[in-house]
Amino acid sequence: KKPTYPLVMGVLVCCLFSSVAILASVIRNGAIDYWLGGWKPPWGIAYKIDHLNAIMLVLISLLSLLTAIHAKKSIERELPERTTPFWSLFLLLITGLLGICITGDLFNLFVVLEVASVSGYALIAMGEKKALYASFRYIVIGTIGASFYLLGVGYLYMATGSLNMVNLAQLLPERYHSKVVLVGFAFIFLGLSIKMALFPMHVWLPDAYAYAPSAVSAVVAPLMTKVMAYVMIRVMFTV
């Protein structure tokens, strides 16, 4: 168990340096496109990094590193027997948040959104006695939000035959009158609103903040809901 924290810090420092390097590259050379497995979109999953999500990558990496530095003593005090599971879930949460910002595919976004959410549920459940109840309520409401988002993505796929964000942005304008597209957008907006705790769909948030370990609140408050706001901006203004 002893090498866990140094390993976590090493990973987060590497993430921060990589994110800063990516941001510098985007500023100098423009947006970065990467095709997973060499499969060309819209058939394959694409990662696309422009100025907006390059900045988000730096912010997530920086805030997660600062949170990890701050959290060391509090986690050893609050969760002395579960430090290794905590840091494993913490890194999984950051992986999901980074994936949400970097992907250019709506379904892949759903996958990494659930990676971040599931790790968030588990982290919150590690808290005080009422944390299990808070986490369970978050699971139920979060799953409803994820289902709305996935249903909306299905509607857009039904209308366009594509899940790639760049391709969707080209195909959707001539289909804006379609009720299928409008209903799909409504489902996506509703799902993301639940995930980002937009009033009045914020009922899961107070207990999750109150009963989670302090280090979890410190990372969920500035990152989880704000990354959902980024996704909403991305869908509304890019897709």
Side-chain angles (χ1 to χ4, degrees), residues 121-157:
Y121 304 151
L123 284 169
I124 290 169
M126 286 184 171
E128 301 172 12
K129 290 182 179 180
K130 291 186 179 179
L132 286 175
Y133 169 73
S135 179
F136 179 72
R137 186 158 69 165
Y138 184 17
I139 289 171
V140 173
I141 298 173
T143 302
I144 293 170
S147 300
F148 279 143
Y149 173 83
L150 186 59
L151 192 58
V153 170
Y155 272 87
L156 292 189
Y157 184 74

Side-chain angles (χ1 to χ4, degrees), residues 47-65:
Y47 281 0
K48 185 175 181 69
I49 310 174
D50 56 19
H51 293 77
L52 176 60
N53 52 359
I55 292 171
M56 288 298 298
L57 294 178
V58 173
L59 288 175
I60 293 170
S61 302
L62 177 61
L63 289 172
S64 61
L65 178 61

Side-chain angles (χ1 to χ4, degrees), residues 1 4 69-70 73 87-88 92 99 121 128 154 158 181 212 218 220:
K1 293 184 179 180
T4 304
I69 294 170
H70 159 77
K73 290 183 179 179
W87 288 117
S88 300
L92 194 61
Y121 304 151
E128 301 172 12
M158 186 165 60
V181 171
V220 170

